[in-house]
């Protein structure tokens, strides 16, 4: 068992990329007692890829993150910190079937190595909460295996949000933001990516205690009622923020270590991206529907003919 520590509250967002997790984290960051550091599963990549914090500084040079890592190392020891970061791929690599099997097996036998990893995750999250002077942390890593691993930690009051978006909109967004010199992802590959990530998320959602299925489209078109759902589900008072939210969000300086470019914008307009309805070819939409149509239907998404494409 993980040693008994002061329990911390964490909201974890899982699902596929380009599904609105960064937008959700920015909205939740406006609640006074919430901090969202972004995609925490990118910790192993920080040294090599020089990630920039949303404040503009590199994460390694950011005053806030420097204090977090300093506190983490002081409480846990430098070796334990590095071990936790290194083991993220060993226990949380959702793209590897062998890692899924290994992690599920180690959880069932309560292995010491997994318990140490759970301790390390807790210590990092707790250090972030202390330095931010907040009481609730939002992790938008999206990785469903990480959500499962965190659900094993008895010292974390974990609330899991499974965030979904119409897969065709996700596929359009993925290709819309690729660099000019990078080859676009084939539609069949985007469909498989969306399908597998959401199937994995369904698997975790059925096994976790506190979960909520949320749609990207609802966040943008019905932000107030969607936030009321999140508030009821998470036990967090978001009333002040619900009253003040409008079609445009103005960001204060945040410290989101990783996520899409939205985290660096000073203001964000809540606008539903439906560009794919008329710009994505019918052939691509049909291909996506053949691969992932049944799962999309289970989330309430309409077929092509019903959208008038």
């Amino acid at each position: 068992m993980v040693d008994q520590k002061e329990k911390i509250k964490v909201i974890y967002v899982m699902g596929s990329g380009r599904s609105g997790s960064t937008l959700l984290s920015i909205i939740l960051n406006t609640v006074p007692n919430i901090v969202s550091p972004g995609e925490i599963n990118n910790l192993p990549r920080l040294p090599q890829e020089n990630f920039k914090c949303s404040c503009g500084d590199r994460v390694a040079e950011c005053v806030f993150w420097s204090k977090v890592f300093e506190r983490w190392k002081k409480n846990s020891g430098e070796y334990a910190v590095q071990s936790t970061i290194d083991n993220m791929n060993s226990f949380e690599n959702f793209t590897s079937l062998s890692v899924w099997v290994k992690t599920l097996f180690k959880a069932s036998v309560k292995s010491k190595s997994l318990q140490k990893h759970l301790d390390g995750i807790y210590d990092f999250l707790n250090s972030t909460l202390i330095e931010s002077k907040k009481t609730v942390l939002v992790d938008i890593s999206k990785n469903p295996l990480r959500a499962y691993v965190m659900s094993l930690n008895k010292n974390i009051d974990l609330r899991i949000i499974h965030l979904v978006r119409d897969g065709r909109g996700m596929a359009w967004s993925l290709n819309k933001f690729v660099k000019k010199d990078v080859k676009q992802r084939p539609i069949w590959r985007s469909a498989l990516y969306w399908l597998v990530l959401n199937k994995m998320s369904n698997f975790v959602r059925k096994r976790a205690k506190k979960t909520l299925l949320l749609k990207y489209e609802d966040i943008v078109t019905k932000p107030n009622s969607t936030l009321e759902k999140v508030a009821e589900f998470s036990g967090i008072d978001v009333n002040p923020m619900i009253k003040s939210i409008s079609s445009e969000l103005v960001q204060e300086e945040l410290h989101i270590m990783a996520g899409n470019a939205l985290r660096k914008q000073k203001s964000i307009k809540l606008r539903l991206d439906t560009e794919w309805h008329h710009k994505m070819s019918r052939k691509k939409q049909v291909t996506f529907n053949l691969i992932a149509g049944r799962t999309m239907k289970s989330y309430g998404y309409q077929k092509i003919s019903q959208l008038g494409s």
Side-chain angles (χ1 to χ4, degrees):
M1 279 182 70
V2 179
D3 293 336
Q4 192 62 39
K5 301 177 181 179
E6 184 178 351
K7 208 157 194 174
I8 59 175
K9 182 174 280 189
V10 175
I11 298 174
Y12 186 90
V13 182
M14 67 179 179
S16 73
R18 310 306 307 182
S19 291
S21 61
T22 300
L23 175 62
L24 179 59
S25 93
I26 289 169
I27 292 173
L28 291 176
N29 249 324
T30 63
V31 179
N33 60 333
I34 290 180
V35 60
S36 178
E39 299 172 354
I40 294 174
N41 64 321
N42 278 301
L43 275 174
R45 298 168 57 195
L46 293 180
Q48 294 82 12
E49 301 189 26
N50 275 329
F51 274 58
K52 274 197 172 183
C53 177
S54 59
C55 71
D57 294 331
R58 288 185 174 84
V59 173
E61 298 165 357
C62 170
V63 174
F64 173 76
W65 287 115
S66 295
K67 288 180 179 178
V68 170
F69 281 99
E70 185 180 339
R71 177 179 290 275
W72 188 16
K73 289 175 182 177
K74 184 177 179 180
N75 291 342
S76 306
E78 196 157 345
Y79 176 80
V81 167
Q82 193 57 51
S83 178
T84 300
I85 294 172
D86 292 343
N87 282 330
M88 287 180 79
N89 286 327
S90 300
F91 289 115
E92 302 178 17
N93 182 7
F94 70 93
T95 63
S96 169
L97 179 60
S98 63
V99 171
W100 272 94
V101 173
K102 182 181 76 172
T103 301
L104 292 172
F105 172 75
K106 284 184 180 291
S108 66
V109 299
K110 297 181 179 178
S111 76
K112 289 182 179 179
S113 58
L114 178 57
Q115 296 307 317
K116 284 182 180 179
H117 184 61
L118 295 180
D119 274 335
I121 291 173
Y122 172 91
D123 289 340
F124 172 74
L125 299 177
N126 193 43
S127 295
T128 305
L129 282 169
I130 292 171
E131 288 300 331
S132 66
K133 297 179 175 61
K134 309 289 186 178
T135 58
V136 182
L137 184 143
V138 179
D139 181 351
I140 59 165
S141 293
K142 295 187 286 295
N143 176 349
L145 184 53
R146 178 171 170 79
Y148 175 77
V149 168
M150 288 175 69
S151 73
L152 302 173
N153 198 317
K154 305 301 181 185
N155 297 318
I156 296 178
D157 178 4
L158 184 68
R159 316 295 171 101
I160 299 175
I161 294 176
H162 178 186
L163 186 60
V164 296
R165 180 183 185 179
D166 189 307
R168 294 159 294 188
M170 179 279 304
W172 180 259
S173 182
L174 274 176
N175 280 331
K176 188 164 107 175
F177 290 99
V178 296
K179 295 178 182 178
K180 290 182 180 180
D181 57 341
V182 177
K183 190 176 180 181
Q184 290 199 339
R185 183 182 302 210
I187 192 65
W188 62 265
R189 188 175 170 188
S190 295
L192 282 176
Y193 164 76
W194 182 92
L195 179 64
V196 171
L197 258 296
N198 283 294
K199 286 286 188 184
M200 288 177 176
S201 296
N202 283 342
F203 172 84
V204 173
R205 185 156 51 92
K206 289 174 182 176
R207 284 156 182 78
K209 293 179 181 178
K210 300 169 184 175
T211 64
L212 174 68
L213 181 65
L214 209 61
K215 288 185 178 181
Y216 153 78
E217 293 81 4
D218 290 341
I219 294 172
V220 179
T221 60
K222 299 181 288 185
N224 289 354
S225 59
T226 302
L227 284 167
E228 285 171 357
K229 277 186 186 178
V230 173
E232 184 180 354
F233 158 74
S234 60
I236 297 167
D237 180 16
V238 299
N239 281 323
M241 193 268 295
I242 288 176
K243 290 175 183 176
S244 64
I245 196 168
S246 63
S247 60
E248 186 168 3
L249 295 171
V250 178
Q251 289 197 77
E252 297 179 5
E253 183 174 280
L254 302 174
H255 295 283
I256 303 176
M257 67 161 65
N260 66 37
L262 203 63
R263 67 197 171 96
K264 297 178 182 178
Q265 294 181 16
K266 297 299 180 185
S267 65
I268 301 164
K269 288 187 177 181
L270 294 180
R271 183 180 62 84
L272 184 63
D273 182 4
T274 57
E275 193 178 51
W276 66 271
H277 284 198
H278 55 275
K279 287 194 174 181
M280 179 182 280
S281 70
R282 186 174 181 83
K283 181 180 178 181
K284 286 184 176 181
Q285 292 192 40
V286 169
T287 300
F288 199 104
N289 199 60
L290 285 172
I291 295 170
R294 182 175 295 182
T295 302
M296 284 208 298
K297 186 178 179 181
S298 72
Y299 297 134
Y301 291 113
Q302 298 175 327
K303 292 182 179 179
I304 303 165
S305 58
Q306 293 172 300
L307 289 169
S309 308

